[in-house]
Amino acid sequence: MVIIALGFSMAIMISIPAGILASQESYNSIISNMQEETNRTATLIEVSTSSGRGGFSGMPSGTSSGTPPFGFEREEVFINETIVGEIRTIEGIKDIVEFFETSSEETTSETISTPRGDFTMSRPVYTIMGVSLNSSLIDSYSVLPTDIIVGRNLQEGDTGVVLITSNITDYYEVGLGDEIEIYGESFTIVGIYEPESESSTASREVYMSISDAQIITGNTGNVSRLDVYAENDSYVEEIADVIETYSEAYDLGLYVTTYNDRMETYQTMLNNAESTLSQTQTVAFQEIVIAIGATSLIVLFTMLYTVRERTKEIGVLKAIGFSKGNVMSQFMLEGIMISLIAGVVGVVIGIVGAPLISSLLLPSVNQLSPQQGGFSGQAINFGTALSQSVTVSPDLQTVLLAFGAVVLLGAIGSLYPAWRASRTSPMEALRYE
Amino acid sequence: MSNVVLETENLEKVYELGRRKINALSEVNLRINKGDFISIMGPSGSGKTTLLNMLGCLDRPTKGKVILDDVDVTKVPEKSLCKFRKYKIGFIFQTFNLLPYLSAIENVELPMEGTKKSKSERRKRAHELLEIVGLSTREEHKPLRLSAGEQQRVAIARALANNPAIILADEPTGNLDIKTMFEIVRLLGRLNVTQETTIIMVTHDSHVAARAGRMLFLSDGKLLKKERKGMHLVKGDLTCPNCHKEIQPDDDFCRRCGKQL
């Protein structure tokens, strides 16, 4: 009983710092991801038909509001090529990279745990990314994934072939050179790439040429996203304004994001993440203090009880010649032994239960995890294999520190009881029943 | 060195209960020689246990001296008293007071902890002692798996561990049935003869008390003048009290007349 209680306190001591470390790591990865995206280029204007695109995929807090979605009933809106043609005529544009992005036909259902309960939802298995395979664009801008594991990247003139993330090959159990059926058409896998980050949509995309994607989905002439590159920084805001004016005039509902917009979002999210992190740290600190307090109190009361319970034994020990010091060290040793055993139990509970404990005690850790953020786009995970969350795994240093703390607290907690035991009068103790 | 092991001079103990003063012991003069087997009798409340606590360095008298092996222990500071308890005195209790989680042999080894004896020496000594009290086959048993009589034997072995100058037994037979009661008293008597152990036994049972060599009587905290010779046989006096045939210290019955000893 006592040992288990102590074990739990210690598990808390292990898990909390682990949780903090993990959230810090997650925070850092979010920051660096965002930084990367923000800095992609100052001349980039992203034009898309839905708010979730173009900005950051997977946002901590902030964008998540309202009830969680139960499924993807988002209507897909596209930009017609005539409009793209119009945008091309705007002064100061250097290049436009067209994307056609849509969900797979196939859906998978998944249960998501949220603070408001579990929701089962169905979502597409993957996202089809149709990209313009114009070699000058491919070379100049980050259009295609770069981290190819096997096979080759897409190149100009490719048709009927796909570049696919390793997550989906696992899901479908297919490999390089295999055929995969998309919207009723067969595609050959020419390359498999490692997703850049575990987060959100990037982890399950199928890249193909934009015309293939348009044809199989019957969307010839439509695009879903444009990366508009300005000649230089000075044109950026102007171009964005013009596109927005178009959008309003033709009621296109386009979302236009510039470097400044991205900077702003980035800043907001940075602040959010920072405040979440600092809140988490405060909570963690309080919890550790409570755990420490609880540990010493548990030992204190247990040992007091033990000393009381064994008054007679203390009397016997003294009668047969044990000195105060002997008795004191006897009980100290016992308290420390209990904490040692508890420590071992705690390490086991802590290592096994750290993710659970820290998620229970540090709810904000989960908020930091990108998956919980906006359900923007398809930023929701995909089975457990692809699940991305803060991974809480206690490191050796934390474990040893907590172990040491528990033993030390055990010693401190048994100090008073042991002292009391040593002061017991043998005569009275022997009379005690 | 004199033959006197333990001596008290005008021992007095007064308990204060609020304003009332209770004279638990007064003017106790006791002289115990090496190799004595003494029983102290008296009704409850007569001060038997108080006296034993005084003699056993568990309590300090209000007045008077307790001289143990030529040292006045009433003058010994509290810190050093545990040494006296450890090396000079062996306690036997009515309720045995063995440590339940230690085996018989570990209980016997307990008083030797912190002495100069090595671990193997302690084990050897504990083994010898358990053999003397007739429990060599039950060394590894925990007290709860031993009968009451066996537990008291373990306690006796424990009391002997450091070869004390004197054994103080407080109602050693109080929790035993008649048969084991006499077994234990006989064991004490035998130890007194074979090991030359000095024993003071407090009891309110006259049959038990009568097994000692000398019977003292305590009443209202005072030692009575009358003193009786018990039927305990000492060396050179090993004859049956009934038929006077010579007997061995280990005998349970007289071989001639069959009297239980």
Side-chain angles (χ1 to χ4, degrees), chain A residues 274-307:
Chain A
E274 247 164 24
S275 75
T276 314
L277 195 67
S278 75
Q279 273 170 25
T280 309
Q281 278 164 343
T282 316
V283 172
F285 178 73
Q286 288 164 352
E287 279 164 358
I288 288 177
V289 168
I290 291 168
I292 288 174
T295 308
S296 13
L297 283 182
I298 291 169
V299 176
L300 178 71
F301 286 119
T302 311
M303 290 311 291
L304 275 179
Y305 178 78
T306 309
V307 167

Side-chain angles (χ1 to χ4, degrees), chain B residues 68 140 159 179 256:
Chain B
L68 176 62
E140 297 304 329
K179 185 170 166 279
R256 186 196 283 163

